[in-house]
């Protein structure tokens, strides 16, 4: 045979089977023989399997398949054996072993790898978004964000943004400082996606003093003085009342606890609007 024909049959797009096939064929010099590979995706019915068998018989092809639905996989195997066609079931044997070892039935849903990939890329996109729009750098992020965090300095806005990004939420945070007006767009976006982070003045004072010490600065700087803190918190209340958004007290909460509360609020408010 001057040409070896391979059919890659899958109930999804067939990338998994093609990658395995390429990994195997790359180990051979082929000695002048050509490899003709055809991918046949979305094999989901008996009729689809019959088409694969017909093509394989006509071309005397080797069939490499990844089928997760047991009934279709069983029918494929039966037809291949009946027609004495060479074949490789890439997923079936391992699925059987895992079912026994895990004592759990598989989902049997085609395309799960690509769903996982999509989920991964959404997470990366959310993380990049949080970095890009951290600390109110670009007001244009307000319309694109899933969640907008508002608060004075040292209310965990940045770590919360990153934590929520790992949950695939695009988060922008906006610092509130009396001397700087927040972007006007903040008052025009949907308040349902805004969350204000409140903190106890004494707790904030302790956090800021500790931060100054970490930076090698004097802890009696105006940044950590009671008068300044009360001034900032009063400004915070003014802005929040204008936006009319939910407020979470983060004084004694862990990042995870606050994040879960944010997700619940945002989810419930969206549901009530739909």
């Amino acid at each position: 045979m001057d040409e070896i024909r391979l059919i890659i049959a899958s109930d999804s797009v067939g990338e998994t089977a093609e990658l395995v096939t390429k990994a195997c064929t790359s180990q051979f010099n082929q000695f002048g023989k050509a490899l003709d590979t055809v991918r046949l995706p979305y094999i989901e019915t008996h009729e689809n399997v019959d088409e694969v068998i017909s093509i394989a018989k006509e071309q005397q092809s080797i069939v490499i398949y990844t089928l997760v639905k047991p009934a279709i996989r069983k029918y494929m195997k039966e037809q291949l054996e009946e027609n004495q066609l060479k074949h490789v079931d890439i997923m079936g044997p391992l699925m059987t072993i895992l079912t026994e070892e895990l004592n759990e039935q598989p989902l049997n849903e085609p395309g799960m790898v690509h769903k996982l990939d999509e989920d991964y890329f959404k997470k990366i996109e959310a993380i990049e978004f949080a970095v890009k729009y951290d600390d109110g750098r670009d007001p244009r992020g307000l319309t694109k964000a899933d969640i907008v965090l508002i608060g004075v300095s040292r209310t965990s806005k940045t770590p919360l943004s990153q934590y929520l990004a790992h949950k695939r939420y695009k988060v922008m945070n906006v610092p509130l400082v009396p001397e700087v007006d927040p972007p006007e767009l903040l008052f025009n976006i949907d308040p349902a996606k805004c969350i204000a982070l409140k903190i106890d003045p004494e707790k904030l004072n302790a956090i800021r003093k500790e931060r100054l010490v970490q930076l090698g600065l004097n802890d009696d700087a105006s940044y950590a003085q009671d008068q300044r803190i009360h001034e900032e918190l009063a400004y915070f209340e003014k802005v929040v009342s204008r936006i009319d958004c939910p407020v979470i007290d983060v004084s004694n909460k862990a990042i995870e606890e606050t994040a879960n509360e944010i997700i619940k609020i945002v989810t419930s408010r969206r549901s009530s609007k739909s």
Side-chain angles (χ1 to χ4, degrees):
M1 184 187 291
D2 293 329
E3 186 176 50
I4 296 176
R5 297 182 176 89
L6 305 171
I7 290 178
I8 295 171
S10 171
D11 45 19
S12 185
V13 294
E15 285 185 358
T16 301
E18 186 168 41
L19 285 171
V20 173
T21 301
K22 284 182 177 179
C24 292
T25 56
S26 67
Q27 299 298 314
F28 296 89
N29 293 320
Q30 300 171 38
F31 299 105
K33 292 184 178 180
L35 285 175
D36 178 29
T37 304
V38 176
R39 193 198 297 189
L40 300 178
Y42 306 113
I43 307 301
E44 299 174 328
T45 65
H46 285 193
E47 290 75 16
N48 295 151
V49 172
D50 291 339
E51 291 173 8
V52 174
I53 299 301
S54 176
I55 296 170
K57 282 177 62 179
E58 182 182 341
Q59 300 182 352
Q60 282 301 295
S61 302
I62 301 168
V63 179
I64 302 101
Y65 60 99
T66 52
L67 303 171
V68 299
K69 293 182 179 179
I72 302 300
R73 187 167 68 242
K74 180 173 181 290
Y75 183 70
M76 173 70 87
K77 183 179 180 182
E78 291 171 349
Q79 294 304 306
L80 288 165
E81 291 177 347
E82 183 179 319
N83 288 277
Q84 298 182 333
L85 292 165
K86 294 179 181 179
H87 59 276
V88 179
D89 178 2
I90 291 178
M91 294 183 66
L94 181 56
M95 295 271 285
T96 300
I97 292 172
L98 290 175
T99 299
E100 295 171 354
E101 292 296 319
L102 298 173
N103 193 28
E104 179 183 345
Q105 291 302 312
L107 297 173
N108 295 325
E109 293 182 16
M112 287 302 295
V113 169
H114 300 287
K115 290 179 183 178
L116 291 172
D117 287 345
E118 184 180 349
D119 186 66
Y120 170 78
F121 286 117
K122 281 183 178 179
K123 182 191 292 186
I124 296 300
E125 184 181 1
I127 292 170
E128 291 176 346
F129 186 94
V131 172
K132 181 177 181 179
Y133 296 105
D134 184 43
D135 211 26
R137 288 176 189 163
D138 186 345
R140 291 175 296 183
L142 289 167
T143 57
K144 304 173 186 176
D146 299 316
I147 299 171
V148 177
L149 301 180
I150 307 158
V152 300
S153 175
R154 313 312 298 174
T155 48
S156 301
K157 296 186 299 298
T158 295
L160 273 169
S161 296
Q162 286 294 328
Y163 185 92
L164 289 164
H166 280 80
K167 302 290 185 181
R168 294 165 297 284
Y169 288 96
K170 292 181 179 178
V171 185
M172 178 174 179
N173 67 77
V174 179
L176 296 182
V177 184
E179 293 79 14
V180 181
D181 291 334
E184 190 61 31
L185 189 57
L186 179 63
F187 304 103
N188 298 326
I189 61 172
D190 184 0
K193 66 179 183 179
C194 296
I195 302 290
L197 305 177
K198 181 180 179 181
I199 189 168
D200 177 75
E202 292 184 6
K203 180 72 173 179
L204 182 58
N205 180 284
I207 292 172
R208 288 189 174 183
K209 283 186 175 181
E210 184 179 344
R211 179 58 177 163
L212 288 170
V213 171
Q214 290 173 352
L215 294 173
L217 301 173
N218 197 321
D219 67 2
D220 63 357
S222 62
Y223 177 70
Q225 289 180 358
D226 289 340
Q227 182 179 347
R228 174 63 184 182
I229 287 174
H230 283 289
E231 181 183 347
E232 288 187 30
L233 293 179
Y235 181 69
F236 165 83
E237 296 289 349
K238 179 181 177 182
V239 172
V240 171
S241 63
R242 182 179 170 188
I243 298 171
D244 191 25
C245 64
V247 179
I248 297 177
D249 191 335
V250 299
S251 302
N252 298 299
K253 285 188 173 73
I255 296 294
E256 297 86 349
E257 187 180 357
T258 304
N260 289 335
E261 196 168 334
I262 290 170
I263 292 170
K264 286 179 183 177
I265 291 172
V266 172
T267 303
S268 63
R269 294 195 90 186
R270 282 179 181 169
S271 299
S272 64
K273 283 183 173 254
S274 61

